[in-house]
């Protein structure tokens, strides 16, 4: 029986809305950390299906899993316990045995789920290839303040060349929190640290940390959607017993070492990973080194994103129609506002030879991001560029946004006032108002 139209329509809208993200994420490298609690949870199969989907969409995927509860359970079963110093477990030789068992067991479970291919399941036809190996070289923490950490180690080196080779072959790389020393010893490592160092070594596009809870504002108890590194550092300092401490520490380190984006996503939220990666506002906390929006000069790679932004506005006659070729020829005149790989705003500055007049053109901000001064930001950026290029006057043509330009100090003028420049016949045909601003 066909689905009701509204459901079909919402499905179509959802699919179309997610398509820019599918393009933006393709061939990008994501490192995803999830704890041992996640591996044991009932919903873990769903997480694995989501990982498989990301792999099918051309994302280069490295998975790093934790094993803390698995080690705890083995210790308990044998009436033993281990001591922690700060976040580090002291791994004696008996505990190391449980670490190896836990890592081996978890890896087999994950590989099995990634190998599933039952018809009528989300994994049908997925045919995922998984690789694990000795990618992590470790060294002992050693003896600190008289305490010997035994087989608890730190990452010494990540074999990024080997990992990249597997990613190149479209394999999912699965890494356990275990490292090997050149002397042949095995070390128990923090999974968050391994994920962070892998993301840094690969210069991954994203480090994604699946957490046990949301990153909340302590006063309002609302989810914090974005944090800069300095804001994350303040959060970490003020809340010393914060359960997200290892994740925040990992995020700060990764951002400081040039990993562009770190996402904290509550693993309990069904489909959280997909919602965060394929919807406009996401459901997690995005931590980035700088502001998560970048205003920069466009390149030819940005043309599909620019077209996607301006096509609906051309259809409404808010912007003059431009062909792909036209944009390509003038691409260095364009500036774009980029947010997490998506183009959410653009503007162009077209000069006229032998004059000190330039045209501010193709100004657009995506409807989801309007009313937050982004239009002003784009205009201010372009006016600065104009000034640097010794432009004295700027004009703009507008059919429906003239009042916006008035508020930015533009005045309406007649065609005769700018007779020295050749106006395109299309601007005259669409009866656009001519707006003018003197640059001081
Ligand atoms: C014009 C445009 C770029 C403004 O982007 P923006 O990021 O929302 O702009 P700002 O946040 O800097 O300014 C928002 C203010 O401008 C007002 N505004 C936005 N569009 C307007 C319009 N067409 N006419 C009058 N005022 C407008 C908003 O109401 C808001 O004011 P408020 O906060 O008092 O409500 C955006 O609306 C857009 O992309 N429009 C479609 C394309 C277009 O017309 N481009 C100009 C032709 S070159």
């Amino acid at each position: 029986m066909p689905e009701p139209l509204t459901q079909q329509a919402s499905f179509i809208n959802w699919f179309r809305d997610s398509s820019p993200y599918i393009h933006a994420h393709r061939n990008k490298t994501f490192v995803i950390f999830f704890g041992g609690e996640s591996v044991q949870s009932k919903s873990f199969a769903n997480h694995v299906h989501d990982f498989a989907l990301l792999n099918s969409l051309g994302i280069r995927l490295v998975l790093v899993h934790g094993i803390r509860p698995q080690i705890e359970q083995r210790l308990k079963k044998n009436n033993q316990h281990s001591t922690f110093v700060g976040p580090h477990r002291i791994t004696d030789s008996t505990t190391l045995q449980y670490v190896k068992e836990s890592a081996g067991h978890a890896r087999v479970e994950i590989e099995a789920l990634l190998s599933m291919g039952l018809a009528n399941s989300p994994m049908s036809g997925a045919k995922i290839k998984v690789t694990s190996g000795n990618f992590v070289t470790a060294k002992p923490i050693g003896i600190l303040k008289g305490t010997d950490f035994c087989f608890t180690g730190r990452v010494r080196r990540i074999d990024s060349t080997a990992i990249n080779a597997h990613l190149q072959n479209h394999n999912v790389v699965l890494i356990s929190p275990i490292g090997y020393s050149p002397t042949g010893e095995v070390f128990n490592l923090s999974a968050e640290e391994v994920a962070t160092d892998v993301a840094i070594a690969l210069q991954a596009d994203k480090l994604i940390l699946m957490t046990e809870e949301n990153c909340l504002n302590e006063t309002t108890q609302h989810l914090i959607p974005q944090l800069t590194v300095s804001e994350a550092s303040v959060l970490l300092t003020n809340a010393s017993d914060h359960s997200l401490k290892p994740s925040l520490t990992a995020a700060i380190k990764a951002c400081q070492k040039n990993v562009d984006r770190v996402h904290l996503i509550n693993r309990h939220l069904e489909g959280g990973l997909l919602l965060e990666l394929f919807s406009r506002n996401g459901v997690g906390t995005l931590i980035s080194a700088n502001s998560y929006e970048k205003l920069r000069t466009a390149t030819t790679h940005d043309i599909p994103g620019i077209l996607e932004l301006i096509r609906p506005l051309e259809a409404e006659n808010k912007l003059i129609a431009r062909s792909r070729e036209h944009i390509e020829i003038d691409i260095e005149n364009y500036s774009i506002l980029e947010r997490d790989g998506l183009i959410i705003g653009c503007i162009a500055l077209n000069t006229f030879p032998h004059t000190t007049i330039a045209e501010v053109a193709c100004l657009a901000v995506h409807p989801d991001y309007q009313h937050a001064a982004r239009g002003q930001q784009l205009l201010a950026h372009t006016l600065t560029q104009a000034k640097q290029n010794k432009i004295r006057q700027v004009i703009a043509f507008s059919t429906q946004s003239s009042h916006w330009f008035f508020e930015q100090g533009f005045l309406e003028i007649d065609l005769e006032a700018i007779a020295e420049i050749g106006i395109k016949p299309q601007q005259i045909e669409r009866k656009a108002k001519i707006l003018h601003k003197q640059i001081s």
Side-chain angles (χ1 to χ4, degrees), residues 54-293:
L54 299 187
N55 174 259
S56 315
L57 292 172
I59 294 167
R60 294 154 50 98
L61 213 59
V62 181
L63 306 176
V64 181
H65 70 89
I67 45 171
R68 266 179 217 135
Q70 287 84 348
I71 300 172
E72 276 317 317
Q73 283 150 14
R74 281 181 171 77
L75 284 165
K76 202 168 162 198
K77 203 170 142 197
N78 292 290
N79 292 324
Q80 293 184 32
H81 75 279
S82 51
T83 316
F84 278 83
V85 177
H88 298 291
R89 183 194 299 277
I90 296 179
T91 312
D92 58 19
S93 52
T94 313
T95 311
L96 183 65
Q97 201 49 42
Y98 302 139
V99 170
K100 290 181 193 173
E101 284 173 23
S102 304
H105 193 265
R107 203 171 63 214
V108 170
E109 291 288 313
I110 299 165
E111 284 179 355
L113 283 169
L114 281 167
S115 309
M116 234 168 85
L118 289 179
N120 300 327
S121 85
M123 297 290 284
S124 170
K127 291 208 174 90
I128 309 280
K129 290 178 285 169
V130 196
T131 313
S132 320
N134 58 341
F135 304 120
V136 183
T137 305
K139 60 185 176 190
I141 288 187
I143 301 165
L144 295 184
K145 293 184 186 159
T147 305
D148 189 349
F149 283 74
C150 305
F151 294 101
T152 304
R154 284 207 179 281
V155 175
R156 180 168 163 190
R157 206 170 38 247
I158 302 289
D159 190 347
S160 55
T161 312
I163 299 176
N164 269 322
H166 290 295
L167 295 176
Q168 208 57 37
N169 287 332
H170 308 290
N171 294 357
V172 171
V173 175
L174 177 63
I175 302 184
S176 304
I178 275 188
Y180 306 94
S181 76
T183 52
E185 282 175 304
V186 178
F187 288 96
N188 177 23
L189 306 174
S190 139
E192 282 98 338
E193 263 181 52
V194 172
T196 309
D197 286 347
V198 168
I200 294 167
L202 296 176
Q203 284 295 282
D205 298 282
K206 286 183 193 298
L207 167 63
I208 298 171
L209 303 160
M210 305 300 291
T211 56
E212 287 303 305
E213 53 186 280
N214 286 328
C215 184
L216 299 178
N217 176 310
E218 290 205 325
T219 320
T220 63
Q221 289 299 301
H222 290 155
L223 177 83
I224 305 175
Q226 282 109 20
L227 286 171
T228 59
V229 170
S230 37
E231 288 164 343
S233 307
V234 172
L235 193 66
L236 190 60
T237 320
N238 291 349
S240 51
D241 60 346
H242 209 293
S243 65
L244 293 175
K245 202 173 168 186
S247 302
L248 286 169
T249 309
I252 293 165
K253 181 176 170 192
C255 287
Q256 284 168 339
K257 301 267 173 146
N258 296 330
V259 174
D260 265 0
R261 304 258 185 281
V262 181
H263 299 254
L264 268 47
I265 306 171
N266 186 339
R267 71 154 177 107
H268 298 283
L269 180 68
E270 166 64 4
L273 182 63
L274 301 182
L275 286 167
E276 177 71 2
L277 293 173
F278 297 100
S279 67
R280 284 214 177 270
N281 288 318
V283 291
T285 299
L286 170 63
I287 304 174
S288 50
N290 300 306
S291 164
Y292 45 93
E293 284 183 17

Side-chain angles (χ1 to χ4, degrees), residues 222-373:
H222 290 155
L223 177 83
I224 305 175
Q226 282 109 20
L227 286 171
T228 59
V229 170
S230 37
E231 288 164 343
S233 307
V234 172
L235 193 66
L236 190 60
T237 320
N238 291 349
S240 51
D241 60 346
H242 209 293
S243 65
L244 293 175
K245 202 173 168 186
S247 302
L248 286 169
T249 309
I252 293 165
K253 181 176 170 192
C255 287
Q256 284 168 339
K257 301 267 173 146
N258 296 330
V259 174
D260 265 0
R261 304 258 185 281
V262 181
H263 299 254
L264 268 47
I265 306 171
N266 186 339
R267 71 154 177 107
H268 298 283
L269 180 68
E270 166 64 4
L273 182 63
L274 301 182
L275 286 167
E276 177 71 2
L277 293 173
F278 297 100
S279 67
R280 284 214 177 270
N281 288 318
V283 291
T285 299
L286 170 63
I287 304 174
S288 50
N290 300 306
S291 164
Y292 45 93
E293 284 183 17
K294 220 187 282 175
L295 207 173
R296 61 169 174 83
T297 307
T299 70
T300 47
H301 296 296
D302 301 316
I303 294 175
I306 295 175
L307 288 172
E308 195 142 354
L309 175 70
I310 65 174
R311 284 294 180 244
L313 299 168
E314 292 175 356
E316 293 173 51
N317 196 27
K318 286 182 175 168
L319 293 180
I320 196 166
R322 291 168 173 83
S323 67
R324 177 185 282 267
E325 293 71 31
H326 183 121
I327 298 177
E328 198 166 335
I329 291 164
D330 290 340
I331 193 68
E332 73 268 23
N333 296 349
Y334 283 75
S335 298
I336 56 143
L337 195 56
E338 187 185 26
R339 182 183 160 112
D340 204 14
L342 279 197
I343 294 173
I344 61 162
C346 70
I347 193 165
L349 183 74
N350 300 326
T351 50
F352 299 96
H354 316 299
T355 73
T356 52
I357 304 179
E359 179 198 357
V360 170
C362 202
L363 169 63
V365 174
H366 188 283
D368 287 356
Y369 296 98
Q370 290 180 359
H371 303 284

Side-chain angles (χ1 to χ4, degrees), residues 309 313 318-319 322 346 360-367 369-378 396-405 407-408 430:
L309 175 70
L313 299 168
K318 286 182 175 168
L319 293 180
R322 291 168 173 83
C346 70
V360 170
C362 202
L363 169 63
V365 174
H366 188 283
Y369 296 98
Q370 290 180 359
H371 303 284
R374 291 188 176 89
Q376 280 180 38
Q377 189 190 352
L378 285 162
F397 296 93
S398 179
T399 53
Q400 294 166 51
S401 297
S402 52
H403 281 245
W404 186 85
F405 282 101
E407 286 177 24
Q408 316 305 322
R430 67 197 274 264

